[in-house]
Amino acid sequence: MKKIYVSADPVQCGWLESLLQASNIECLVRNRFLGGAIGELPINEAWPEIWVVNDNDEARAESVIADALAPLLVTEDWRCAGCQEWVEGQFGSCWQCGHVRESNPAA
Ligand SMILES: [Zn+2]
């Protein structure tokens, strides 16, 4: 059993789970229904987690997830940490202040 992905979004986790299953990778989601506990638990302990059952599937599962998320990462708008301006996803730095996009701009 290996944890391969954590997301704040249970819908996204369910979507990734179905993609993994479609690739014949046995997996499960933990914390899927704990959303209501956020605020009582440390936030990252309440997030849904995707686990692969067989360690041998880990690399394949990670590539399925990376392929699935790549287009989203490119197109999702992000908020500049320098000036708080919203920037379109295809840009790697802020149009207003030039701040370079950070790896997890949504956090
Ligand atoms: Zn900026």
Side-chain angles (χ1 to χ4, degrees):
M1 288 273 292
K2 290 222 167 170
K3 180 167 69 177
I4 55 161
Y5 191 74
V6 179
S7 170
D9 181 355
V11 174
Q12 184 187 54
C13 266
W15 171 62
L16 291 171
E17 179 189 24
S18 64
L19 289 178
L20 292 170
Q21 287 167 345
S23 303
N24 293 317
I25 296 169
E26 207 179 334
C27 62
L28 57 86
V29 177
R30 288 185 174 170
N31 296 342
R32 191 200 299 268
F33 302 113
L34 276 185
I38 289 173
E40 295 158 35
L41 294 170
I43 185 119
N44 54 2
E45 288 184 21
W47 285 2
E49 302 169 347
I50 299 178
W51 293 67
V52 289
V53 174
N54 303 309
D55 290 5
N56 291 340
D57 285 336
E58 183 185 8
R60 209 155 57 89
E62 282 179 344
S63 84
V64 168
I65 289 177
D67 286 351
L69 296 181
L72 302 181
L73 292 175
V74 171
T75 56
E76 222 170 81
D77 290 1
W78 55 282
R79 191 166 204 171
C80 176
C83 68
Q84 307 303 310
E85 189 59 62
W86 285 97
V87 183
E88 287 182 46
Q90 68 266 34
F91 299 114
S93 60
C94 176
W95 56 268
Q96 181 162 269
C97 75
H99 191 91
V100 174
R101 179 179 186 169
E102 291 169 12
S103 55
N104 191 5

